[in-house]
Amino acid sequence: MNRIPDVARELRRAYLFADMSEPHLQTLIQGMHDVHLEAGHSLFRHGQPANRFYFLREGLVKLFRLSPEGDEKIIELMRPGETFAEAVMFMGNVGRYPVSAEAVNESRLYAFEQKALLGLLEDSIDATYGLLGSMSRRLHMLVNQIESLTLQNATYRLVAFLLEEIPRDVKASPEVQLTTPKGVIASRLAIQPETLSRILAKLRQGGLIEVHGNHITVRDVQALRNLVHMPPE
């Protein structure tokens, strides 16, 4: 059974593949690998040779660094439909992963070989320019995230995170389950765990959310949007 059409539709959820021509995308699909990770299992470690990049199909993967004291700082949380480690592919044989990657819960991914991507770009200038455009848009989004982390207060960052976690097709729903562990959220947003707990308590007291362990239920989406001055959808 030919799975390429279904896989192609799945991959086009990611910025990297959204505008890629069908022949180029099929070339990458032919050489990709399926990866399955149990919760807590490592995908790669900081400093390892970078010879693959990834597309997350299911689950949650954290990208993190460890301080000299062993403290973990989460750089990014990868969600289904997103790619990661693609930028390191352009560093050639000297490329090393700048972070570690580990499954927060059971995850399934597609892995793409560095040689396959570089070979495609060498053969097609259109593919090269298309990829540059996609990565530029991604960079712009990351710059905005950095601005949010550095210039906005902790409440703003947490509320913005909660809104981003809500799937687009259910944003109007009065109830959405967010299952990312609170310790992971705190590290990602550069917030101390006790600060995160205080903010969640205030939001709960205001009737905006409910908190049950690591599960957060959003009760009033528009009220959260008002806190960060976002217009209604």
Side-chain angles (χ1 to χ4, degrees):
M1 181 177 179
N2 183 9
R3 65 191 289 233
I4 289 182
D6 291 337
V7 173
R9 283 193 291 271
E10 188 176 11
L11 291 176
R12 289 198 184 280
R13 296 159 59 194
Y15 84 93
L16 192 68
F17 303 116
D19 300 320
M20 186 174 286
S21 72
E22 197 63 29
H24 293 155
L25 186 57
Q26 291 185 21
T27 297
L28 290 179
I29 291 173
Q30 294 285 0
M32 74 182 189
H33 307 280
D34 291 295
V35 177
H36 175 224
L37 289 178
E38 297 290 345
H41 284 206
S42 173
L43 182 62
F44 54 77
R45 290 297 182 191
H46 171 225
Q48 285 184 340
N51 48 25
R52 287 182 173 183
F53 72 99
Y54 300 89
F55 171 90
L56 182 59
R57 302 180 60 202
E58 302 172 7
L60 187 69
V61 172
K62 63 180 179 181
L63 306 182
F64 65 96
R65 290 283 294 268
L66 294 177
S67 71
E69 295 76 26
D71 297 325
E72 180 181 283
K73 168 55 186 169
I74 295 179
I75 308 300
E76 186 63 277
L77 291 173
M78 308 312 304
R79 302 174 180 83
E82 297 180 335
T83 59
F84 57 98
E86 61 269 26
V88 196
M89 297 298 98
F90 299 100
M91 298 180 67
N93 294 331
V94 300
R96 304 275 172 174
Y97 290 117
V99 296
S100 297
E102 182 180 292
V104 175
N105 48 38
E106 185 178 6
S107 300
R108 297 183 183 277
L109 310 94
Y110 291 135
F112 299 88
E113 300 291 337
Q114 178 191 48
K115 290 182 179 179
L117 177 63
L118 296 183
L120 174 63
L121 298 180
E122 289 174 358
D123 292 340
S124 172
I125 191 170
D126 289 338
T128 301
Y129 280 121
L131 184 62
L132 284 173
S134 296
M135 295 186 76
S136 295
R137 289 190 292 274
R138 171 68 172 169
L139 178 61
H140 180 72
M141 184 187 73
L142 292 176
V143 169
N144 288 339
Q145 288 183 3
I146 292 173
E147 180 182 21
S148 175
L149 285 172
T150 55
L151 299 182
Q152 306 295 346
N153 64 33
T155 299
Y156 182 103
R157 298 201 301 270
L158 177 57
V159 170
F161 172 84
L162 293 177
L163 291 171
E164 288 174 0
E165 282 280 286
I166 301 173
R168 292 185 179 182
D169 57 345
V170 294
K171 262 190 178 177
S173 171
E175 222 173 290
V176 178
Q177 291 291 342
L178 306 172
T179 58
T180 304
K182 287 185 285 187
V184 174
I185 296 175
S187 179
R188 170 64 183 87
L189 299 178
I191 298 173
Q192 292 299 318
E194 55 270 24
T195 302
L196 179 105
S197 295
R198 286 197 298 269
I199 297 172
L200 289 176
K202 289 181 180 179
L203 295 176
R204 178 175 52 79
Q205 292 166 6
L208 279 65
I209 65 172
E210 289 185 2
V211 181
H212 304 283
N214 287 331
H215 296 263
I216 300 173
T217 302
V218 175
R219 286 298 186 186
D220 192 335
V221 175
Q222 188 53 48
L224 289 181
R225 296 176 67 84
N226 291 340
L227 285 178
V228 292
H229 311 296
M230 293 176 63
E233 292 193 338

